[in-house]
Amino acid sequence: MRADASSLTGRHPAHVFRPLPEILAGWEANGIGTMPFRVGVDIATHRYAGYGLAKMLPLERVLVGCESSRAGAFGGFHHPDQGYRHFQMVALITMYGPMEGRNPERPTLALLDLLRAYTHDCLHYGSRRRYVEVAGMPFRTQYGINYRRTSGQSYSAADPCESHHTRNLGIIMEGACDKEARAITRQMAENFGVAEPSDVLGSLAFRDVTGRLTEEDAGRVVDIPGSEEQTRYAAALRGYEKDVNRRYAHFLEEFAPGEERECHTRLLTAIISGDVAELGAWLDARHGPGAFAGLFRTPEYFAPTDPRGGQRRDPRARPFRVHAPRAPGQRPREQR
């Protein structure tokens, strides 16, 4: 699986995927400066080392899609069916903006989007993973601070669709990774004096990659005349902000008021190490014994296993979704 990523790129038959170093070299050969990305990666490398990440996702394991044969194709962080894949150890990313060419229409915004996606996926790559063999195949039982039984039962249940809060570890991990990636991207935008675009989608995308979307932005319905793909992209951006980033921000406000940064740092450290002992003790000191399990573990996690396979479940109980809901077109993130 790691030698051949065609099972992933084959889901996007219209796009051409190339390793990230080749994409960057091509842009530079065409006069596009890539310093915002390269400096941002250097900063992320040092910053992530503080959380225990010893090695960043190798650039050659990142495939960037462009030169699409599909008319109107539009790429970026919220393009469907991309992100880091742990079995293949490969990240798929699409070039932000119209994808028909090899060079981005808006180079600076495309570089910021690329930096956000790469630094985000580096944290997924570095998250602690544990596998067991089930019926001759590898099965992941741990990802960061999230767990799953071999029956398929996830440690925490999905949040209600319209919830402003979260008790789902997939959302917590996803939000923590994206908060960190957007902070680095915001720093690069400021350091290189990148101005916010004036058009609606460009402005939303800029605020998104730099973590500056407002409540009004998150609830704003955007219709791009003549481009169904761009309209869907705006909807996916809005959905991701509401379902992931806003819920994570509310979680920090709920359980670490005045200490949001400290809690965020402890979460990331635990995600990289896979050890929740220190995080759990920190939460216990503020919310009482057993705070981590009390917050996140669904009662079904230790439900008896049916010998025929799967969990035994009360037939009167309503079924729950293991995976968090996504907005239409939203890219599925790794740990959900």
Side-chain angles (χ1 to χ4, degrees):
M1 285 187 284
R2 290 178 178 169
D4 181 7
S6 59
S7 63
L8 302 178
T9 58
R11 299 173 189 174
H12 304 276
H15 309 338
V16 176
F17 285 88
R18 292 186 173 86
L20 179 52
E22 183 179 334
I23 291 292
L24 292 173
W27 289 358
E28 289 167 344
N30 286 301
I32 298 173
T34 60
M35 287 303 292
F37 177 82
R38 296 191 183 279
V39 174
V41 170
D42 286 341
I43 289 174
T45 301
H46 292 291
R47 184 163 171 158
Y48 290 0
Y51 302 127
L53 181 61
K55 182 182 178 183
M56 298 285 275
L57 173 62
L59 294 181
E60 62 270 16
R61 302 301 295 175
V62 180
L63 302 178
V64 181
C66 56
E67 293 184 278
S68 180
S69 60
R70 188 175 71 236
F74 194 89
F77 184 81
H78 301 286
H79 189 77
D81 201 9
Q82 64 175 37
Y84 182 71
R85 300 295 180 264
H86 68 104
F87 277 134
Q88 290 83 3
M89 206 175 279
V90 164
L92 288 191
I93 296 174
T94 49
M95 178 180 72
Y96 174 79
M99 295 180 64
E100 287 90 345
R102 187 168 182 176
N103 294 329
E105 185 178 272
R106 291 182 167 179
T108 304
L109 188 52
L111 282 164
L112 292 178
D113 184 86
L114 182 65
L115 177 63
R116 185 259 193 104
Y118 174 71
T119 53
H120 181 120
D121 287 342
C122 280
L123 291 170
H124 290 322
Y125 164 74
S127 299
R128 170 71 173 178
R129 293 189 293 278
R130 189 186 303 273
Y131 300 88
V132 297
E133 183 181 320
V134 177
M137 293 295 292
F139 184 91
R140 190 182 68 195
T141 58
Q142 179 181 0
Y143 195 90
I145 56 174
N146 204 359
Y147 309 92
R148 185 171 49 160
R149 296 185 67 188
T150 55
S151 62
Q153 174 63 56
S154 183
Y155 190 84
S156 55
D159 300 318
C161 287
E162 298 304 318
S163 174
H164 295 292
H165 306 272
T166 185
R167 299 294 184 270
N168 180 273
L169 281 171
I171 297 296
I172 295 294
M173 290 175 60
E174 180 71 6
C177 291
D178 204 46
K179 179 179 176 67
E180 198 67 11
R182 297 204 297 180
I184 293 165
T185 307
R186 180 169 60 251
Q187 182 179 346
M188 288 304 95
E190 293 170 352
N191 288 356
F192 286 88
V194 182
E196 180 177 322
S198 58
D199 65 291
V200 173
L201 184 54
S203 175
L204 277 176
F206 179 81
R207 293 181 193 177
D208 177 41
V209 299
T210 56
R212 289 174 171 161
L213 288 170
T214 64
E215 289 284 351
E216 182 181 357
D217 291 332
R220 185 180 183 185
V221 177
V222 175
D223 181 19
I224 310 297
S227 179
E228 184 179 345
E229 281 212 30
Q230 292 185 41
T231 298
R232 286 201 304 268
Y233 189 89
L237 182 157
R238 187 176 69 250
Y240 186 85
E241 176 68 12
K242 291 170 61 179
D243 293 342
V244 176
N245 287 313
R246 295 280 159 170
R247 290 183 187 181
Y248 180 62
H250 290 153
F251 172 81
L252 293 177
E253 292 165 1
E254 276 187 287
F255 294 99
E259 298 179 288
E260 290 91 343
R261 180 66 203 177
E262 174 73 10
C263 185
H264 171 72
T265 298
R266 288 179 178 275
L267 276 164
L268 281 174
T269 301
I271 288 168
I272 298 302
S273 70
D275 186 349
V276 299
E278 290 189 12
L279 172 64
W282 191 86
L283 290 170
D284 286 353
R286 287 151 180 80
H287 305 289
F292 183 88
L295 278 170
F296 300 117
R297 191 173 70 203
T298 178
E300 287 87 352
Y301 187 66
F302 286 123
T305 301
D306 190 320
R308 295 169 297 181
Q311 301 280 143
R312 284 182 180 166
R313 190 173 300 160
D314 186 337
R316 298 167 296 176
R318 294 179 61 188
F320 62 91
R321 295 177 59 190
V322 171
H323 297 288
R326 298 201 306 269
Q330 182 181 326
R331 79 186 203 157
R333 302 305 309 173
E334 176 55 37
Q335 60 269 65
R336 294 191 189 179

